[in-house]
Amino acid sequence: MISFILNNKKVSVDVESDTPLLWVLRDELKLKGTKFGCGKGLCGACTIHLNGSPIRSCVFPISAVENQSITTLEGILDDENYQKLQKQWIKKNVPQCGYCQPGQLMTATALLKSNNNPSKSEIQSAMAGNICRCGTYQRIQEAILDAAKKGEKNE
Ligand code: FES
Ligand code: FES
């Protein structure tokens, strides 16, 4: 049995220790907000927070999260930075197919938590691991800038 904190509640799961966290979230705990993309740590669709920092849950064994704190999309809906981002996401019609967007928002929320005044280059750097096959990068960048109330003042 492996126990950890998930969205502020203690949970325990009975799975093999090398089971990827993404599988546990989606199949055991039925939290479908975290998406499966590449399964190899390359696309960012499965991004969640481990102790507040973004990680790729598809390549993270469940044994590594024992007694740690995990947050998924379902757990950040009341987060102030998430809500600022969500507002801009809607205003700018950021999503196209939408598949990558939970991961994009998890990374963006962690970025604003660690840096509430990011420049364009800092946003590009933080978001570089989140792939969008629909090419929404420009709108994502603008939404993050506006969520941080930076607008066009950045270089
Ligand atoms: S599904 Fe995890 S990085 Fe692509
Ligand atoms: S919105 Fe379609 S993959 Fe990003």
Side-chain angles (χ1 to χ4, degrees):
M1 199 67 88
I2 295 169
S3 300
F4 56 102
I5 306 296
L6 174 63
N7 298 334
N8 293 320
K9 287 187 188 147
K10 186 174 179 183
V11 295
S12 299
V13 289
D14 187 10
V15 295
E16 294 294 325
S17 62
D18 60 351
T19 307
L21 175 58
L22 177 61
W23 271 248
V24 174
L25 293 173
R26 288 184 59 86
D27 296 343
E28 299 290 324
L29 302 170
K30 309 299 180 195
L31 291 175
K32 307 289 188 179
T34 310
K35 303 302 180 193
F36 172 81
C38 63
K40 296 185 179 201
L42 301 171
C43 75
C46 65
T47 303
I48 55 101
H49 296 173
L50 171 66
N51 301 324
S53 298
I55 62 157
R56 309 287 187 246
S57 62
C58 69
V59 289
F60 218 83
I62 190 66
S63 58
V65 306
E66 182 145 35
N67 299 322
Q68 307 291 310
S69 178
I70 295 296
T71 309
T72 67
L73 187 73
E74 292 86 351
I76 63 163
L77 302 181
D78 294 329
D79 179 277
E80 186 188 351
N81 286 316
Y82 173 79
Q83 290 185 344
K84 281 195 271 182
L85 289 161
Q86 186 189 43
K87 199 169 163 188
Q88 294 303 322
W89 243 246
I90 293 167
K91 191 172 169 190
K92 296 183 185 312
N93 283 322
V94 169
Q96 195 162 317
C97 80
Y99 197 82
C100 72
Q101 300 295 324
Q104 304 278 4
L105 280 159
M106 292 304 288
T107 302
T109 301
L111 167 63
L112 289 192
K113 187 178 169 197
S114 65
N115 177 2
N116 65 7
N117 196 22
S119 65
K120 279 187 183 175
S121 60
E122 285 171 332
I123 292 171
Q124 282 165 352
S125 170
M127 302 301 295
N130 284 80
I131 307 301
C132 175
R133 294 191 68 179
C134 301
T136 63
Y137 301 112
Q138 186 64 33
R139 294 199 297 276
I140 287 172
Q141 186 181 97
E142 288 169 4
I144 295 171
L145 281 170
D146 281 2
K149 301 201 186 309
K150 289 286 289 179
E152 304 91 63
K153 282 184 275 177
N154 280 276
E155 77 259 292

